[in-house]
Amino acid sequence: MENMVNIKINDREYAVPANSTVLEAARYAGVDIPTLCYLKDINEIGACRLCLVEVKGARGLAAACVYPVNEGMEVYTNTPKIRQTRKTNLELVVSAHKKKCLTCIRSTSCELQKLCYEYGVDEDHFQGNNNAYAIDDTTPYIVRDNEKCILCRRCVAACKNMQGIGVIGANDRGFDTHIASAFEKTLDQTSCIGCGQCIVACPVGALYEKDDTAKVLAAIADPTKHVAICAAPSVRATIGECFDYEPGTDVEGKMVAAMKALGFDGVYDMNLTADLTIMEEATEFLERMKEGKNLPLITSCSPGWVKYCEHYFPEFTDNLSSCKSPQQMFGAMYKTYYAQKVGLDPKDIVFVSAIPCTAKKFEVTRDHQNAAGVCDVDVAITTRELARMIKQAGINFRALDDAKFDDPFSIGSGAGAIFGATGGVMEAALRTAAEVIEGKKLEKLEFEDVRGIEGVKKAVYKLGGKEIRVAVASGTANAKRLLNEVKAGTTKVDFIEIMACPGGCVNGGGQPTQPAVVRNNVNLRELRAKVLYTADKNLDVRKSHENSAVKKLYDEFFEKPGSHKAHEILHTSYVKRGLK
Amino acid sequence: MITNKEDLIKIRDAYAGKIAFRQHGTEKVSDGKVEKHVLICGGTGCTSSKSVQIKEKMEALIKEAGIEEKVQVVLTGCFGLCALGPIVIVYPEGTFYSRIELDNVEEIVKEHLVNGNPVKKYLYSETVKGDEILSLNDTAFYKKQKRVALRNCGVIDPHCINEYIGTNGYLALAKVVTEMTPDEVIKEILDSGIRGRGGGGFPTGRKWQFAAAQPKGQKYVVCNGDEGDPGAFMDRSILEGDPHALIEAMAIAGYAIGANEGYVYVRAEYPIAVNRLQNAIDDARKEGLLGKNIFGTDFEFDMQIRLGAGAFVCGEETALLTSIEGNRGEPRPRPPFPAVKGLWGKPTIINNVETYANIPQIILKGAAWFNSMGTEKSKGTKVFALGGKITNTGLVEIPMGTTLREVVEEIGGGIPNGKKFKAAQTGGPSGGCIPASKYDVEIDYDNLIAQGSMMGSGGLIVMDEDTCMVDLAKFFLEFTVDESCGKCAPCRIGTVRLLEILNKITEGNGEMEDLDKLEELANYIKSASLCGLGQTAPNPVLSTLANFRDEYIAHIVDKKCPAGVCKNLFTYKIDLDKCMGCGLCAKQCPADAISRTDYVAEGHKLASMQIDATKCVKCGACLPSCKKFQAIYKG
Amino acid sequence: MKKKLTTVSFNGTKEQEIALDNVIAEHKDQPGALMAILQKAQGIYGYLPIEVQQHVALAMDIPLSEVYGVASFYSQFILNPKGDYAVSVCLGTACYVKGAGLLMDKLESILGIKNGEITADRKFSLDATRCIGACGLAPVLTVNEEVYGRLTPDMIAGIIAKYKD
């Protein structure tokens, strides 16, 4: 039984856990106190002052987000003074904010806009001079518009406290304070990994993905182009959120229908190349185990993680699996195998991926990702961009009938489906590796030890009489911790799965933004991951090597996993970038 | 090494006479040989006007004269009368030489130190009454003061630990660790009623009590020496003049709350203070007064200095802690209070330098002695830095409850040039103005707050009729805007918007609605800001609005600056009948705005000059050229 | 105030680097040492260029942005070195109407640097300042503590020549 204290909120009595803040206690009492800067566990700084409440007997107003409750406390959250204070606060904030709300990418999902509406803010009440900042759009993935920044520092918290990276921070002081990299370097000149966690942390339109939808729309409108799209495992688990579905709703059928309605010539399931990745990676793992070389093997399907490794742990780039990511494998396979098969010139194909990730926008620009002599993937669009395209096209998403992916790339196994959650790649690989090593069917497919949203998970499995030590990390701060242990020799491990985003792709930087009130109170990662694990459970085929479409690919084209041809088309290389 | 109280008392007794000699000039010097003590101020002010060179020259000349056995020269801390520096005091007479230059030294040595005749022409004029020469202590400036925190400043050599011991130094620490329990120490501090001297005036004993009540383990004692109010320098003076008092007090605090580590956060702009404090810490360690087994007990305590790097906000206690931790000096929300979760998350007490300087005295003389001084809720004394339009600028220490009038008119010597007192500003950028109608207010924490001002660290700036109160509010706000850390929205954006409105008013573009907006915004910033900087930043605006609203209205409605300060709201004019036509003003004018008229005033030979208001840039360069005739005026 | 970044290239010596490493070694295990290290680093180099901050960041295993965040917060940290001779042109109103802007233009062309910059040999740095209260002498400039008044652009070359070698 938790320790409880009795407090009064707006004159009504409640018993709340003794270790809560006023903000948490108020939610318990059904009152949402507005916040802008607060993100649970990573940004508890009391800076935006929007959550001020009156606490009887306290000197001045109290910031609910950090003010602890105590026995007998009396809190008022909605007095005239509080309402006026919040209104003035918002009026000041918008006086220093670029008010391009009509066309802002975050219009209607902006937390500031919502509050201004609720509090009846006069956006011109305070007027004054503001600093001018150039928009930083130097990377292929993130755009920063500091004239919209409200200095809540949630992006800094995401980058530094959550991801352990810290390529951005607060520079200068007072009214000149702004969020940027050291020495005002543009983001492309830093060791930013492009994970996009800053974007999903931002309450306003100061951070957003580089929008590539125009490229896609232009290609669709061009009759000389064959335009195909494939959807990453976790997009179907989240895109519903952009159409007012509860987080954790699987909308695969509607998503596929919407993609078809947009006019793509082929709509495919990336779960297929997730399976293909497993075939290659499991083979690679068994080979490395045999040779005892470049172990532990570390997965390479998360491009944010790959870039992190190249910047921060260049000594581990040889340990990275040489497998391309499922996105790149799909494009490579499509522009070689499929182009040949149907008689398309790879140059006429525009291959688009729908992904939960901003780093994938960087991945498509990497070297050695051009199996057919042209880039494997032409455009990577995030879940958010896909939703925008659907809205702009006037497609009534909720009214769509479910549709199926196009053949011949419509089949993905349950193993491919769970790629989008932390531990999923490891579990998928183990299902295949175990059956290959043991030479017999697994009785139980679930590898529970590597599931779940903890930052680092470790397990040992006995396969074919041999102990296989595995570890899973999600979020680069956790990856850093794990790799430092490996470096120091305190953790001995053969196979590591790392995803750049905490929780994996379901929580990727390209996923729908959710306001702080949802992020702080709902376990988004778990809800979204559940979609994938449910899909896995309901599928007949749950192992990559049993995917008939994958088998066909090897029979018709790649011969066998790890073949010379597979290496040429499905594998890649890495560089040591070092810290910038 | 001093390992017990007896060791300490031995040293005290050897030095006490010497100190008393300097304080009273009457008692016999213990060693019998030395006949005169020459005290030269080594504070920052006097040092910058070459007091160190004066000391060196004096010592050389004394040696030359062969009287080095009879005269001891001491470089002390600040005497307080900084406007008169460099200051040299000679005991036993207590004669007070002011504004001494290197060239004067020879005469003083020859006439005064050798021949025994004070050189009158170099003495501070107030101390020369015909044939009679007054001692420093008899001047109006010193007579009304009560020096507790500053008691050793200007008396002892801050580099000499034994001189400090000679003033009963470290006796309080000895008493505490050998005779008192931590609870008794805290009770004594609580009973004394002392409140924090750095800003808000929180009862010091209560802070200590909170920290002491935290579970045993690592705790810290921190000293806030990040004195940043423009014009306030009492903490610097104590650090420079009496560093051991701080060390002793922090060790006492460590004993009281169960901490064994201390940090002193000092502005890097105070190199002399840092140097003397570091020396003092080293000496205290050498003598065993810091370190393990202090006075032979189990108590251990040590401390180190951390330097600020130029951020006023670090005077706020939580920002100071973040800064010691090596980060941007941004404040943190309270609660948790530092006494519960402070430096590196451990229970920490933070007091300012002046507060600590009182502690050893409270322990030695008792709470009852301390709380016999002052008013009902403000006990003891307070140091003020007098500045602005006042004759005696410098540091004064007065009992709480002294009236503003006494401070300005008597101790401060009144307002120069026969001008009238308009207001006094206390508390620096966090404070407000006390208008002439409240001249008789008794200065203490609560009275100042009632006037919309605050004690702050003790800056006291006097203003006469030539001060524009709107401009003054603007001055302080510019300071806070520069020094806001930028973390919380109300202070970061709000103070800038406030300043923009003030600029609009002083430029002559104000509207009456702006006054409502100023008040609305100021009250909002006060109640919503994260830390004390923001919470007090609007005080200069609010208090000038409350007391001098008519001046704001004059700026807005009449488009006039009554004090003639705001450049857009006055023009320079030449009184044609006063103008002698010398033309000097035209030569000074950078804008070629002054030309000759064809009007010759009655009795004058040359035609008068005139100013073209459209060309004038209001730099005021012409004014001094017309000092003699006073023909140029603001209108 | 926004901190001005430097335009001169880094010319740190081996001795300076050794001195910096010593400072870091001395403070590394002391908690919260970043400020003390930056203060001493500035003592060694005269300012805190990216090369020095990067060195400190790597040695302390903290992000460069954190180091820069601290360096740009406190007014004592300098990111742009001053020349041996700091030339400041008063751009207060009085000086401005008397042609201080022309003085600035002339200085920029003679020194080959812009306002806020420093010459490659670090001899001269050029800044504009607010009114220094010498309006009667307008237009004025200062070189370190020295004040030059009632100037015309053709006098600039002579003043700068005094400080060359």
Side-chain angles (χ1 to χ4, degrees):
Chain A
M1 184 61 190
E2 243 178 322
N3 265 340
M4 304 294 272
V5 292
N6 299 301
I7 66 169
K8 271 191 191 169
I9 297 176
N10 301 333
D11 289 327
R12 296 181 60 178
E13 288 179 18
Y14 300 92
V16 298
N19 60 358
S20 12
T21 61
V22 170
L23 182 74
E24 290 162 342
R27 194 168 162 83
Y28 191 76
V31 174
D32 274 338
I33 296 169
T35 62
L36 278 173
C37 69
Y38 177 75
L39 278 186
K40 196 170 168 54
D41 297 329
I42 62 169
N43 205 41
E44 303 181 343
I45 60 175
C48 76
R49 315 306 287 165
L50 208 62
C51 66
L52 294 180
V53 294
E54 289 188 62
V55 174
K56 210 169 169 182
R59 209 166 66 170
L61 304 175
C65 68
V66 286
Y67 205 94
V69 295
N70 52 54
E71 180 66 36
M73 180 183 226
E74 293 180 43
V75 180
Y76 294 91
T77 69
N78 190 31
T79 62
K81 180 177 167 107
I82 289 298
R83 284 195 298 273
Q84 183 56 47
T85 301
R86 289 181 189 155
K87 185 176 174 196
T88 306
N89 181 313
L90 291 165
E91 283 172 338
L92 273 179
V93 171
V94 291
S95 82
H97 178 71
K98 180 158 87 182
K99 294 182 278 290
K100 292 259 185 179
C101 303
L102 290 180
T103 51
C104 180
I105 197 160
R106 291 295 299 274
S107 190
T108 72
S109 71
C110 171
E111 296 180 37
L112 176 63
Q113 187 185 44
K114 180 170 176 276
L115 289 169
C116 285
Y117 169 73
E118 287 172 357
Y119 283 88
V121 159
D122 170 4
E123 63 182 34
D124 296 323
H125 188 66
F126 297 112
Q127 287 172 322
N129 297 322
N130 291 313
N131 295 328
Y133 296 99
I135 291 178
D136 181 359
D137 59 354
T138 54
T139 65
Y141 40 86
I142 293 171
V143 182
R144 171 179 287 281
D145 183 352
N146 263 346
E147 293 184 3
K148 286 185 183 164
C149 175
I150 58 166
L151 287 165
C152 67
R153 309 200 187 189
R154 277 157 52 169
C155 58
V156 177
C159 186
K160 193 174 145 191
N161 302 347
M162 188 171 84
Q163 290 291 64
I165 290 176
V167 290
I168 48 170
N171 287 355
D172 294 309
R173 117 180 147 199
F175 197 65
D176 294 318
T177 308
H178 60 285
I179 307 302
S181 301
F183 290 88
E184 311 301 330
K185 288 201 280 188
T186 48
L187 211 51
D188 62 326
Q189 294 175 293
T190 69
S191 309
C192 169
I193 64 164
C195 69
Q197 286 301 322
C198 53
I199 297 177
V200 284
C202 182
V204 297
L207 282 164
Y208 48 94
E209 66 285 345
K210 186 168 271 178
D211 188 302
D212 288 314
T213 58
K215 290 184 201 166
V216 179
L217 294 169
I220 291 175
D222 183 346
T224 67
K225 298 292 183 197
H226 171 92
V227 191
I229 186 166
C230 72
S234 66
V235 175
R236 68 206 70 179
T238 58
I239 195 168
E241 295 169 30
C242 298
F243 299 97
D244 299 329
Y245 288 91
E246 284 297 309
T249 310
D250 185 349
V251 293
E252 179 182 302
K254 289 190 194 302
M255 176 192 74
V256 173
M259 286 171 160
K260 290 187 171 174
L262 280 169
F264 286 100
D265 298 310
V267 175
Y268 306 116
D269 192 350
M270 205 191 282
N271 293 12
L272 170 86
T273 43
D275 285 329
L276 191 60
T277 304
I278 289 304
M279 298 305 291
E280 292 296 318
E281 202 161 286
T283 309
E284 186 181 20
F285 175 62
L286 296 175
E287 263 166 33
R288 288 200 196 182
M289 283 294 281
K290 203 155 72 193
E291 291 171 13
K293 219 174 95 185
N294 292 333
L295 286 170
L297 174 73
I298 313 178
T299 59
S300 63
C301 36
S302 164
W305 146 243
V306 169
K307 195 163 185 269
Y308 180 82
C309 182
E310 292 174 329
H311 281 299
Y312 298 87
F313 286 92
E315 64 271 35
F316 279 108
T317 50
D318 291 339
N319 296 69
L320 287 173
S321 161
S322 65
C323 291
K324 286 181 182 173
S325 70
Q327 162 180 282
Q328 296 302 116
M329 279 197 183
F330 212 126
M333 175 272 287
Y334 201 76
K335 289 187 179 181
T336 54
Y337 161 73
Y338 187 70
Q340 249 175 53
K341 187 175 161 122
V342 300
L344 274 170
D345 184 338
K347 288 194 197 65
D348 292 333
I349 300 174
V350 174
F351 194 83
V352 181
S353 65
I355 33 80
C357 176
T358 42
K360 291 253 177 232
K361 286 175 180 284
F362 172 77
E363 191 181 34
V364 302
T365 69
R366 289 181 66 103
D367 289 339
H368 308 296
Q369 304 276 2
N370 48 358
V374 291
C375 58
D376 292 339
V377 175
D378 296 86
V379 192
I381 56 167
T382 59
T383 311
R384 294 189 294 269
E385 288 166 277
L386 178 61
R388 272 206 296 282
M389 283 171 63
I390 294 170
K391 285 180 182 170
Q392 195 191 46
I395 297 164
N396 187 346
F397 188 87
R398 293 180 71 104
L400 290 171
D401 288 329
D402 284 356
K404 285 200 169 343
F405 286 113
D406 291 325
D407 285 328
F409 308 121
S410 60
I411 305 170
S413 76
I418 59 174
F419 252 62
T422 171
V425 179
M426 178 59 72
E427 183 168 345
L430 287 171
R431 288 180 190 174
T432 293
E435 294 205 350
V436 172
I437 295 172
E438 303 255 317
K440 60 172 192 210
K441 294 239 176 226
L442 281 172
E443 280 167 29
K444 185 171 181 294
L445 281 183
E446 288 80 11
F447 289 78
E448 304 280 358
D449 297 339
V450 295
R451 290 190 179 184
I453 52 167
E454 299 83 62
V456 176
K457 292 161 282 188
K458 294 176 195 170
V460 180
Y461 294 106
K462 211 160 188 160
L463 302 178
K466 223 180 146 184
E467 280 198 341
I468 310 279
R469 297 159 298 184
V470 302
V472 172
S474 74
T476 44
N478 295 315
K480 180 179 183 178
R481 185 153 58 90
L482 176 62
L483 291 182
N484 280 332
E485 286 171 20
V486 173
K487 245 162 89 171
T490 50
T491 288
K492 301 246 188 274
V493 64
D494 305 304
F495 191 9
I496 303 176
E497 177 210 286
I498 296 178
M499 295 193 189
C501 294
C505 310
V506 285
N507 188 39
Q511 295 286 35
T513 53
Q514 285 288 356
V517 65
V518 173
R519 283 177 65 118
N520 289 332
N521 295 298
V522 176
N523 194 336
L524 278 178
R525 298 173 200 176
E526 210 168 73
L527 279 176
R528 290 166 170 179
K530 221 168 118 190
V531 173
L532 306 182
Y533 284 110
T534 308
D536 169 41
K537 219 166 100 188
N538 294 336
L539 277 168
D540 294 334
V541 179
R542 299 181 64 192
K543 288 169 274 188
S544 300
H545 55 283
E546 288 176 357
N547 182 336
S548 59
V550 169
K551 280 191 207 156
K552 197 170 159 201
L553 279 178
Y554 281 108
D555 291 345
E556 291 185 9
F557 194 68
F558 292 114
E559 297 154 19
K560 62 175 175 71
S563 71
H564 182 66
K565 196 164 194 173
H567 263 281
E568 277 192 333
I569 294 171
L570 304 178
H571 290 249
T572 187
S573 61
Y574 307 102
V575 287
K576 297 183 193 300
R577 295 178 200 273
L579 274 181
K580 280 198 277 187
Chain B
M1 277 288 271
I2 297 166
T3 53
N4 54 48
K5 202 170 160 181
E6 289 66 45
D7 293 348
L8 188 76
I9 286 171
K10 250 182 247 160
I11 300 175
R12 196 238 0 232
D13 291 345
Y15 280 81
K18 209 174 187 177
I19 305 301
F21 176 75
R22 284 178 212 161
Q23 280 165 329
H24 313 295
T26 48
E27 290 169 38
K28 190 146 168 42
V29 187
S30 57
D31 57 13
K33 269 194 291 189
V34 174
E35 290 172 3
K36 281 195 194 312
H37 284 195
V38 179
L39 274 54
I40 302 177
C41 175
T44 292
C46 290
T47 307
S48 66
S49 42
K50 300 206 161 76
S51 65
V52 175
Q53 290 90 324
I54 289 171
K55 176 185 182 243
E56 283 161 4
K57 185 164 181 186
M58 192 169 280
E59 282 177 325
L61 290 171
I62 285 169
K63 206 162 177 199
E64 233 171 71
I67 53 172
E68 69 262 39
E69 298 266 293
K70 295 181 178 169
V71 180
Q72 188 186 358
V73 182
V74 184
L75 195 69
T76 68
C78 179
F79 291 91
L81 258 175
C82 303
L84 300 177
I87 291 172
V88 176
I89 314 276
V90 181
Y91 282 106
E93 302 91 326
T95 42
F96 179 10
Y97 291 101
S98 66
R99 297 216 173 104
I100 291 305
E101 289 174 22
L102 272 171
D103 291 346
N104 311 146
V105 175
E106 199 169 342
E107 205 175 340
I108 294 172
V109 172
K110 220 166 123 192
E111 290 301 321
H112 190 169
L113 302 184
V114 178
N115 297 338
N117 305 314
V119 189
K120 269 192 192 172
K121 61 182 171 187
Y122 300 140
L123 291 176
Y124 174 43
S125 56
E126 242 196 62
T127 62
V128 185
K129 296 265 149 74
D131 285 343
E132 197 192 350
I133 295 170
L134 295 181
S135 153
L136 167 73
N137 300 319
D138 296 328
T139 58
F141 180 77
Y142 280 99
K143 245 193 302 192
K144 281 231 162 183
Q145 292 194 48
K146 172 87 191 159
R147 289 163 84 92
V148 178
L150 298 179
R151 72 193 175 107
N152 290 330
C153 292
V155 176
I156 63 168
D157 175 357
H159 277 299
C160 179
I161 189 170
N162 289 341
E163 288 202 2
Y164 177 68
I165 294 171
T167 69
N168 284 333
Y170 289 107
L171 205 57
L173 178 60
K175 177 176 170 188
V176 159
V177 299
T178 59
E179 296 165 25
M180 293 170 84
T181 66
D183 285 346
E184 286 168 347
V185 177
I186 291 172
K187 184 164 185 303
E188 200 68 35
I189 302 301
L190 271 173
D191 290 349
S192 76
I194 185 170
R195 294 165 65 176
R197 299 303 195 229
F202 191 82
T204 305
R206 291 251 301 279
K207 257 189 202 181
W208 292 23
Q209 207 174 22
F210 287 144
Q214 297 305 310
K216 277 200 174 62
Q218 184 66 58
K219 295 179 188 179
Y220 296 101
V221 174
V222 171
C223 171
N224 183 348
D226 191 53
E227 185 172 58
D229 287 8
F233 55 93
M234 54 284 296
D235 291 349
R236 188 189 72 203
S237 286
I238 293 168
L239 290 170
E240 286 176 356
D242 198 13
H244 285 286
L246 173 66
I247 297 169
E248 183 180 8
M250 285 179 68
I252 291 170
Y255 179 79
I257 70 159
N260 62 4
E261 253 186 271
Y263 285 89
V264 188
Y265 187 90
V266 191
R267 304 181 74 190
E269 293 93 328
Y270 287 176
I272 297 176
V274 171
N275 171 278
R276 290 192 190 153
L277 179 61
Q278 188 59 57
N279 268 319
I281 291 173
D282 295 344
D283 287 347
R285 265 189 213 131
K286 252 179 254 159
E287 292 296 347
L289 298 168
L290 285 176
K292 287 190 174 24
N293 303 114
I294 294 170
F295 288 110
T297 67
D298 288 342
F299 177 59
E300 67 170 284
F301 188 81
D302 209 336
M303 57 196 280
Q304 52 175 296
I305 300 174
R306 287 293 172 99
L307 295 186
F312 174 70
V313 68
C314 291
E316 195 279 338
E317 62 179 16
T318 61
L320 183 143
L321 295 180
T322 355
S323 185
I324 292 182
E325 290 167 4
N327 303 312
R328 293 165 63 87
E330 291 172 349
R332 327 197 254 240
R334 296 180 304 186
F337 288 93
V340 178
K341 219 173 150 190
L343 193 59
W344 289 298
K346 305 292 181 205
T348 302
I349 55 161
I350 305 155
N351 291 119
N352 99 322
V353 178
E354 188 186 335
T355 314
Y356 281 123
N358 282 292
I359 299 296
Q361 294 298 297
I362 293 173
I363 297 293
L364 282 183
K365 299 186 180 170
W369 162 79
F370 190 82
N371 70 29
S372 70
M373 294 179 286
T375 60
E376 191 197 338
K377 284 182 176 167
S378 303
K379 299 299 182 189
T381 60
K382 177 75 192 86
V383 183
F384 283 94
L386 303 185
K389 311 282 180 63
I390 189 163
T391 306
N392 296 331
T393 58
L395 275 194
V396 301
E397 184 169 358
I398 51 162
M400 297 273 191
T402 309
T403 67
L404 179 59
R405 187 188 296 275
E406 283 174 276
V407 174
V408 175
E409 298 291 337
E410 297 178 32
I411 300 172
I415 293 164
N417 305 323
K419 299 266 182 176
K420 253 174 57 196
F421 174 86
K422 182 175 186 179
Q425 214 279 354
T426 66
S430 308
C433 294
I434 301 157
S437 60
K438 303 283 161 56
Y439 210 7
D440 290 307
V441 65
E442 293 184 349
I443 298 174
D444 71 8
Y445 289 101
D446 308 290
N447 285 343
L448 289 183
I449 285 171
Q451 297 306 319
S453 184
M454 66 184 286
M455 189 77 84
S457 58
L460 200 159
I461 297 165
V462 178
M463 284 153 295
D464 65 11
E465 58 224 75
D466 292 340
T467 312
C468 167
M469 302 313 277
V470 186
D471 182 69
L472 180 87
K474 206 177 91 177
F475 168 80
F476 281 115
L477 211 59
E478 274 170 358
F479 180 85
T480 2
V481 165
D482 268 355
E483 296 295 343
S484 164
C485 82
K487 182 174 178 179
C488 81
C491 175
R492 181 184 67 241
I493 310 171
T495 55
V496 170
R497 298 290 173 251
L498 264 188
L499 180 59
E500 285 170 341
I501 299 172
L502 287 179
N503 278 331
K504 193 176 152 196
I505 294 172
T506 55
E507 282 163 8
N509 301 319
E511 299 157 71
M512 283 304 283
E513 299 93 271
D514 288 332
L515 295 185
D516 300 334
K517 211 172 250 189
L518 274 181
E519 261 168 357
E520 174 203 338
L521 192 48
N523 284 319
Y524 162 74
I525 297 168
K526 258 178 96 100
S527 65
S529 292
L530 169 59
C531 83
L533 188 147
Q535 286 160 8
T536 57
N539 283 349
V541 177
L542 285 171
S543 88
T544 50
L545 258 180
N547 293 308
F548 300 95
R549 202 177 182 90
D550 51 335
E551 277 193 43
Y552 280 85
I553 294 172
H555 283 73
I556 293 171
V557 178
D558 312 332
K559 307 291 174 199
K560 291 274 176 232
C561 174
V565 174
C566 299
K567 283 190 177 178
N568 275 25
L569 300 180
F570 69 84
T571 49
Y572 281 105
K573 290 179 180 160
I574 294 177
D575 184 332
L576 292 178
D577 288 316
K578 277 192 185 168
C579 176
M580 301 292 286
C582 69
L584 277 178
C585 54
K587 286 192 180 129
Q588 291 299 323
C589 179
D592 293 325
I594 307 180
S595 60
R596 195 171 293 279
T597 62
D598 45 17
Y599 174 82
V600 183
E602 214 183 304
H604 292 182
K605 284 181 186 145
L606 296 167
S608 300
M609 309 300 288
Q610 65 181 359
I611 298 177
D612 180 348
T614 60
K615 286 186 182 169
C616 174
V617 297
K618 293 163 192 167
C619 67
C622 53
L623 273 180
S625 68
C626 199
K627 216 170 176 178
K628 198 165 160 196
F629 308 113
Q630 301 277 322
I632 304 175
Y633 66 99
K634 292 172 181 174
Chain C
M1 236 198 17
K2 212 163 171 311
K3 291 250 168 146
K4 212 164 243 169
L5 299 179
T6 189
T7 50
V8 284
S9 55
F10 182 59
N11 66 353
T13 62
K14 192 77 209 156
E15 287 73 38
Q16 286 174 319
E17 195 183 322
I18 292 169
L20 178 60
D21 282 332
N22 288 339
V23 166
I24 293 170
E26 181 193 330
H27 288 279
K28 211 180 162 188
D29 299 322
Q30 188 184 321
L34 178 58
M35 269 175 70
I37 291 176
L38 290 180
Q39 278 161 338
K40 291 189 176 169
Q42 183 160 302
I44 295 167
Y45 290 92
Y47 71 125
L48 295 172
I50 188 167
E51 292 80 1
V52 172
Q53 291 192 35
Q54 184 72 270
H55 191 96
V56 171
L58 286 174
M60 296 183 74
D61 193 24
I62 54 175
L64 177 60
S65 70
E66 200 175 318
V67 179
Y68 184 79
V70 169
S72 66
F73 183 88
Y74 295 95
S75 53
Q76 280 192 340
F77 293 125
I78 305 168
L79 305 178
N80 189 24
K82 284 261 176 272
D84 299 340
Y85 302 105
V87 184
S88 303
V89 181
C90 173
L91 288 186
T93 321
C95 287
Y96 194 77
V97 297
K98 273 283 199 179
L102 299 175
L103 300 185
M104 182 58 97
D105 293 347
K106 190 77 185 175
L107 279 162
E108 288 186 344
S109 78
I110 288 182
L111 296 174
I113 53 172
K114 294 245 169 291
N115 176 12
E117 294 181 355
I118 175 170
T119 55
D121 62 2
R122 310 231 177 151
K123 243 197 155 112
F124 296 95
S125 53
L126 180 59
D127 285 291
T129 65
R130 291 205 279 187
C131 181
I132 60 166
C135 305
L137 298 175
V140 299
L141 66 77
T142 58
V143 180
N144 294 349
E145 311 287 297
E146 202 79 33
V147 181
Y148 296 87
R150 296 191 214 285
L151 296 172
T152 52
D154 55 318
M155 294 158 82
I156 297 292
I159 293 171
I160 295 301
K162 275 180 39 186
Y163 297 97
K164 286 223 162 129
D165 46 63

